[in-house]
Amino acid sequence: MLHNLLAGIPVMLLCLLLQGVFVTVCLRQYVRIREAHAGRISQWMNMVLLSTAMLLMLIGNFVQIGIWAALFMMIGEFDDYATAVYHSGVNFATLGYGDMVMSPPWRLLGPMEAANGILMFGVSTAVMTAAVMDVIKHTVQSLEKRAGR
């Protein structure tokens, strides 16, 4: 069990760090675009902003799945990277298909990745919710300004 923790915890910490980077980049770009077009953002621009936020967070999650897959390859659990990525994606998304299982000495890595994945999807959801709430707020303000004219 200790070897699982020694292999998995550094990967979890790396994923947490990467998620922080993706959240920061996503929110900074969102705010930069919002401020650059202050007061004149169309519905299309709102859709682009929301889609960009979703895409960046999704890419962040895919990168983390790839990192876990690399760990699985390093410890010799899978023969090819595509299989390791598939298994990693199933774990990260907490699907738990069970069509592939890791060897008994490394099985604890699956639940560790699942815990990491559910946390990262929660963070991604929070970022996207914040973006949606911001779009709603600005849309309501814009409608109120028009109605007040």
Side-chain angles (χ1 to χ4, degrees), residues 2 18 24 39 43 50 56 58-60 63 69 71 73 83 95 101 104 112 121-122 124 126 132 141-143 147:
L2 183 60
L18 282 173
T24 301
Q43 291 299 80
L50 292 176
L56 283 172
L58 188 60
I59 289 169
V63 167
L71 172 64
M73 292 294 295
T83 303
L95 292 173
V101 293
M112 288 178 72
F121 279 123
S124 297
V132 168
Q141 288 174 347
S142 177
L143 293 172

Side-chain angles (χ1 to χ4, degrees), residues 86-119:
Y86 168 77
H87 182 73
S88 178
V90 168
N91 284 338
F92 198 83
T94 68
L95 292 173
Y97 286 152
D99 57 338
M100 288 183 198
V101 293
M102 296 179 69
S103 63
W106 293 109
R107 279 196 188 144
L108 185 57
L109 289 176
M112 288 178 72
E113 183 182 9
N116 186 201
I118 198 68
L119 177 63

Side-chain angles (χ1 to χ4, degrees), residues 1-12 68 71-72 75 77 102-113:
M1 181 169 122
L2 183 60
H3 66 283
N4 282 269
L5 295 174
L6 291 174
I9 288 176
V11 173
M12 290 179 85
W68 278 98
L71 172 64
F72 297 156
I75 62 174
E77 280 297 303
M102 296 179 69
S103 63
W106 293 109
R107 279 196 188 144
L108 185 57
L109 289 176
M112 288 178 72
E113 183 182 9

Side-chain angles (χ1 to χ4, degrees), residues 50-65:
L50 292 176
S51 297
T52 301
M54 287 185 256
L55 183 62
L56 283 172
M57 299 314 300
L58 188 60
I59 289 169
N61 289 326
F62 285 159
V63 167
Q64 293 171 67
I65 288 169

Side-chain angles (χ1 to χ4, degrees), residues 5-34:
L5 295 174
L6 291 174
I9 288 176
V11 173
M12 290 179 85
L13 292 173
L14 177 61
C15 288
L16 290 169
L17 177 66
L18 282 173
Q19 189 75 356
V21 169
F22 274 93
V23 167
T24 301
V25 168
C26 181
L27 293 178
R28 281 187 180 204
Q29 291 303 312
Y30 182 92
V31 169
R32 185 185 63 77
I33 293 168
R34 170 70 69 197

Side-chain angles (χ1 to χ4, degrees), residues 41-54 135:
I41 291 188
S42 68
Q43 291 299 80
W44 286 106
M45 182 57 83
N46 281 332
M47 287 191 299
V48 167
L49 281 168
L50 292 176
S51 297
T52 301
M54 287 185 256
V135 165

